Amino acid sequence: MALVLLQQSLDVEVAYRGFCFQESDDSAVPVAFSDGYEWGVFLNPHVRRFDLFSSGHTHTALVTVKVWDAAPPVDDTERWEEQGEVDFESTTGELAVWTLTLGRAKDVITLGETGGLWRVRVSCTGRAEVERVTRTEGMAYGVERYLVEFWPRTA
């Protein structure tokens, strides 16, 4: 049975519907965010980075990050509107969140003591509602929620 090694909650300031997780050492990321960002693609992998497309233009998303010691079961406690999985490589074992207008966020996510290969599952809910709220009312807080799960990739 997989065990959670780390759980972290983040408030992510989404702008222009996009943000990413990338290697904390941005010199190890060959294509910096927002280069290669694709409008409308929920989860888009790049070398040492993966981009997320939000349904809301400008808002604060609630993001829960979990680092597991092995592949976790699919979380069915929410009614997820989008889910996807990608591979991710880290050179340092630390990640940062980047947004289109604010750049690097202050929070650091620690995957482990060293880098390595990881599998990532991203699940999201509140997409339809955050699209409506940001279109009709402006800013939203906590309407769109993400669960981002990492575990060591096996061969």
Side-chain angles (χ1 to χ4, degrees), residues 2-72:
L3 297 173
V4 175
L5 303 175
L6 168 95
Q7 182 168 328
Q8 193 169 348
S9 296
L10 310 169
D11 289 347
V12 175
E13 303 297 326
V14 177
Y16 299 101
R17 297 183 186 244
F19 65 102
C20 84
F21 284 78
Q22 75 174 36
E23 178 64 38
S24 184
D25 176 7
D26 58 346
S27 69
V29 181
V31 179
F33 188 65
S34 66
D35 291 345
Y37 175 74
E38 291 187 47
W39 187 266
V41 178
F42 171 67
L43 176 59
N44 191 15
H46 299 274
V47 176
R48 297 184 196 102
R49 168 185 130 204
F50 59 91
D51 301 344
L52 293 163
F53 180 79
S54 170
S55 287
H57 185 278
T58 304
H59 66 101
T60 303
L62 301 183
V63 178
T64 300
V65 175
K66 290 184 179 182
V67 179
W68 297 81
D69 67 347

